[in-house]
Amino acid sequence: MPPPRQVFVAVVGTGGVGRCFLAQLSALASRLSQNAPSPIYLSLIFLSRSSKALYNPTYRSLPLSTWESDLDGSSQQVLTPTQIAEYLASAPSRVVLVDNTSDQALADAYPLFLRRGISIVTPNKKAFSGSLDLWRAIYAAAANGRETAAGGSGASAGGGSSTSAGSTMAPSGPAAAGSTGFVFHESTVGAGLPVLSTLADLVDTGDRVRRIEGVFSGTLSFLFNGFMPVGGGTGGSGGSSFSAEVKKAKELGYTEPDPRDDLNGLDVARKVTILARLAGLPVAAPPAAFPVQSLVPAELEGVASGDEFLARLGEFDGAMDKVRKDAAQKGKVVRYVGSVDVENNELKVGLETFDPSHPIAALKGSDNVIAFYTERYGANPLIVQGAGAGGEVTAMGVTGDLIKVLRLLH
Amino acid sequence: MPPPRQVFVAVVGTGGVGRCFLAQLSALASRLSQNAPSPIYLSLIFLSRSSKALYNPTYRSLPLSTWESDLDGSSQQVLTPTQIAEYLASAPSRVVLVDNTSDQALADAYPLFLRRGISIVTPNKKAFSGSLDLWRAIYAAAANGRETAAGGSGASAGGGSSTSAGSTMAPSGPAAAGSTGFVFHESTVGAGLPVLSTLADLVDTGDRVRRIEGVFSGTLSFLFNGFMPVGGGTGGSGGSSFSAEVKKAKELGYTEPDPRDDLNGLDVARKVTILARLAGLPVAAPPAAFPVQSLVPAELEGVASGDEFLARLGEFDGAMDKVRKDAAQKGKVVRYVGSVDVENNELKVGLETFDPSHPIAALKGSDNVIAFYTERYGANPLIVQGAGAGGEVTAMGVTGDLIKVLRLLH
């Protein structure tokens, strides 16, 4: 019987996703400890949020059942990313850092963590959709790095070799795995939906990805499924005004505190950037790198608060009404989509019209849908669809990544 | 720099899928051999089809570029599954057996292969949808076995714990991995679509799978998308007769040589069985274990040939016309689906009617669609859709599984 294994887990961020993740971690740890014939013991050894931290010099396990009150009551010093890396790198077992924040400073430190043998699982888009240099540094440092992905010499724009350039096996030899950490970030696109893993499988098995298209924002999905539902609102008469839909979405908790953070398209642009890079394109950071259509009227970009923005958005309903009417006259519906034309190295984020029978048109609620057009799949794409936002499903993607790392660690 | 790694590959079956797989293997082997810093050398050391075999006592690598003529010209003795296991178990490196057949005898020997340290990747449904004893023996022998899946004490019918009973980590400790092989069979359901991996992620991360429903046969998808397209054929007037659709599908190469092998529903029943077992239900072999609706008229079950069957199928078009008409009168369309009600331990395969806006109704061509209804995803299921048949995409699932095994082997 093999010896039991111990893996340490460090969690940063205890917001919506972090809270759900900690509950899932607790259930997973309990199950894996009973895993016959080789139990795995997951121990939480570090927990922090912006102003609080919990850890100890001997890496004693923190109880998962009382994390919230323990963290509330802690008076320990908050650590910088470098200090966290220092603490974790000296731990007597392999460590997985779970970054449930959207913190740029922590993202910037990923290469450091990876080089020191710490694996990373995260829904934090900052690390993967910001500067191309950071992306390259992360993958260069990771044990499952794709050396040539997104900007190796084979991945030049428009080159026929761009899709296959990204396909590099995770080196799983003992030395490679032992010296550096693994990195997974499934939840950065489509939350828990199997999007990045599917793209990686397509590329790794030698398929040629031609185009990726989809609805990547739960908020914008909800807005347009309501603003212009299939079978309703023809001629613009059926649905309510755009500003009314935004207000409804905000009331239901589907938007960011300031809805402009959804309507400016940057979140979608970040996700599209991640997909493009994984497909082998050396895409610079959005929004400068490619066209991103903002739905925030220029006149309202500068208003002080989200509330003021919402109060005045109705003044601009005319423009969106016209968009809806024009689409309806052609028998189409409007949706806010992102797309990557891999073969022509073109990314685009904004409004498009679709036939009512198109999978993107038929979306419901706040679902995401992602379509992969590839050589092997031909005219009908491989489609993944479902909830692409929410604490539980986002945390599920993180927990799934943690399980992947546990399988690779030895 | 870690030492280069050698992994041996044995391939049985060189039909449509086998042929595509060998081409994908050739590309993969070439790429992995250049994998810096830890190249992986994949060597084909055994190749066979029903009447021919190619191998050598010193496990010399067989050239992938000339496999077809080499195999044609071989006069080597064909080996039994036991002899193959014997040969492979003595190889000086880890071995992956790729079973691209639908052979029951080889499937029966999987536990033997796994116990002797040989990993298996395969699209062969026989091993996973036949007797429950074989299923249990395979997973008991595999390094990534789910001890309690499909029939452990926690997986009793209707029990709330049925879904979580199947969730067991792949033990990835060196001893566990060193002594037994891994088994993956993504292509047994939905070909290369990420279906089984998605179900495993749901279960492993602690989601509760309530129901799985979908169109699992490319042939039956094509037949019904043509027989009763959305927006057409209302009242039964639009589409052609069912027998005409079957003839068209046969001419396009979308059916088995004898279309009864598609129309009897057994292929769908096998796939549904695999999903149910992975979700934790101890389902016995179909068709005895649950209702499977055959579209082969009883009168034609005994006719001698597929051609005679096709010639006479038109005599029974009236029944299918009525099914279509009844559905149209309710504003619905008819599709041939499989479903697993995990919570109530009920499986079902046959005709169902759907609203035109339902994802199953909107399917195109010969696509598959699989919907996972789970606790976390709520009312809108997680959906995977795309081509579920064809040599290239089926082989892609096999190649993807091979890559998974390579990551786990050490």
Side-chain angles (χ1 to χ4, degrees), chain A residues 321-342:
Chain A
D321 276 343
K322 182 170 181 332
V323 166
R324 175 163 59 180
K325 207 165 193 167
D326 289 350
Q329 274 168 1
K330 293 179 204 140
K332 309 229 177 193
V333 298
V334 177
R335 295 293 182 263
Y336 193 92
V337 298
S339 64
V340 183
D341 180 338
V342 181

Side-chain angles (χ1 to χ4, degrees), chain A residues 31-32 36 147 169 383 385, chain B residues 32 36 147 169 204 383 385:
Chain A
R31 211 176 63 232
L32 293 186
E147 295 85 350
M169 272 289 296
I383 291 174
Q385 181 181 327
Chain B
L32 294 186
E147 295 83 352
M169 273 287 296
D204 286 346
I383 291 174
Q385 180 180 326

Side-chain angles (χ1 to χ4, degrees), chain B residues 108-194:
Chain B
D108 289 341
Y110 284 3
L112 171 66
F113 282 94
L114 293 166
R115 278 195 304 271
R116 302 209 60 175
I118 299 155
S119 294
I120 298 170
V121 299
T122 182
N124 183 349
K125 288 185 278 288
K126 295 280 168 64
F128 309 98
S129 60
S131 94
L132 194 52
D133 283 347
L134 178 57
W135 166 279
R136 286 175 174 149
I138 290 168
Y139 276 100
N144 57 330
R146 297 156 168 264
E147 295 83 352
T148 57
S153 56
S156 58
S161 61
S162 59
T163 54
S164 60
S167 57
T168 305
M169 273 287 296
S172 52
S179 54
T180 59
F182 295 92
V183 63
F184 290 104
H185 52 98
E186 180 64 82
S187 292
T188 55
V189 180
L193 297 174

Side-chain angles (χ1 to χ4, degrees), chain B residues 219 222-223 242-260 262-263 305-311 313:
Chain B
T219 312
F222 179 83
L223 282 177
F242 189 68
S243 62
E245 293 292 341
V246 176
K247 277 170 199 153
K248 186 163 84 182
K250 170 95 160 72
E251 275 156 25
L252 291 168
Y254 285 175
T255 70
E256 296 291 324
D258 186 336
R260 286 176 292 186
D262 298 299
L263 296 174
S305 72
D307 287 341
E308 190 185 341
F309 166 75
L310 265 187
L313 185 59

Side-chain angles (χ1 to χ4, degrees), chain A residues 3 78 84 94 98 193 260 289 297 310 315 345 378 387 395:
Chain A
V78 172
I84 298 175
R94 298 301 299 268
V98 184
L193 296 175
R260 286 176 291 185
L310 265 187
E315 301 168 22
N345 191 15

Side-chain angles (χ1 to χ4, degrees), chain A residues 376-378 380-383, chain B residues 190-193 366-368 385-390 393-394:
Chain A
R376 288 189 191 135
Y377 278 93
N380 292 350
L382 190 172
I383 291 174
Chain B
L193 297 174
S366 58
D367 277 4
N368 282 194
Q385 180 180 326
V393 294
T394 306

